Amino acid sequence: MTLNPALQFRPDEERVSEEDLLRFEQEIGYTLPRDYRQFLLEYNGGEFTATDPATAEDASLYFKVHGFDGQDTYRCDVAYFIGLRKDPARYGLREQHETTRDAWGIPASVLPFSGSVGPPKMYLALEGALRGKVVINGRAYEEKRAADEEVTLD
């Protein structure tokens, strides 16, 4: 993984197997993109830290992300990647997916897989034209939620 030299990536200590990923895919009803599956098998999430605390404010990794509507684009910093947890006491991909789907009205076809220093979560689209792309619940999401409309991934 090539990173900003001011950053260090610390993978999660917990490892997952191919069987764990297959079980998770069955639970959520979607297959994960091949590259993302490989990332989980190798790192299972993790977090970024600054290599030099004096330059921590300049140490960021950024994604170009799409809104759920596929039109708006945003630039978001990445602080961590969420891993798949075997221990139910640890909040991971499974729990994040359930919460965002059931409590926040986020479509089941997107998986919260990363977060920023601030509140935004980044999602991985699991179907349609945006499959494999990083999306965020931007302006279109907020407008639909305010109008009490169903949120979809366009």
Side-chain angles (χ1 to χ4, degrees):
M1 181 183 297
T2 304
L3 296 175
N4 175 340
L7 290 175
Q8 177 179 348
F9 181 68
R10 190 175 74 217
D12 195 289
E13 293 177 2
E14 186 174 6
R15 294 290 172 241
V16 294
S17 67
E18 184 67 31
E19 293 77 27
D20 295 326
L21 293 180
L22 288 170
R23 190 174 319 109
F24 178 63
E25 288 174 328
Q26 289 173 345
E27 289 172 11
I28 65 172
Y30 295 94
T31 59
L32 301 174
R34 183 178 42 85
D35 291 347
Y36 183 59
R37 290 176 110 266
Q38 187 59 41
F39 173 81
L40 288 173
L41 288 169
E42 194 166 334
Y43 302 106
N44 193 30
E47 63 184 12
F48 294 99
T49 57
T51 54
D52 179 0
T55 61
E57 288 186 23
D58 298 327
S60 295
L61 175 70
Y62 289 94
F63 277 167
K64 176 182 172 186
V65 298
H66 300 277
F68 284 1
D69 61 2
Q71 304 299 313
D72 295 332
T73 57
Y74 304 88
R75 185 174 181 251
C76 292
D77 65 288
V78 179
Y80 60 89
F81 291 102
I82 303 163
L84 185 60
R85 306 290 178 238
K86 295 177 188 178
D87 178 357
R90 293 188 68 204
Y91 202 70
L93 284 173
R94 180 177 292 106
E95 296 78 13
Q96 291 274 351
H97 187 257
E98 289 172 2
T99 298
T100 58
R101 180 195 64 211
D102 298 344
W104 299 3
I106 300 289
S109 62
V110 293
L111 179 67
F113 79 105
S114 182
S116 73
V117 174
K121 285 193 187 327
M122 280 151 275
Y123 301 84
L124 185 62
L126 300 177
E127 73 172 359
L130 293 174
R131 178 176 166 76
K133 303 275 190 218
V134 178
V135 295
I136 191 166
N137 53 343
R139 184 175 42 90
Y141 166 83
E142 297 299 335
E143 289 171 358
K144 286 184 177 183
R145 290 289 286 177
D148 204 26
E149 296 176 14
E150 180 183 4
V151 177
T152 58
L153 186 64
D154 296 333

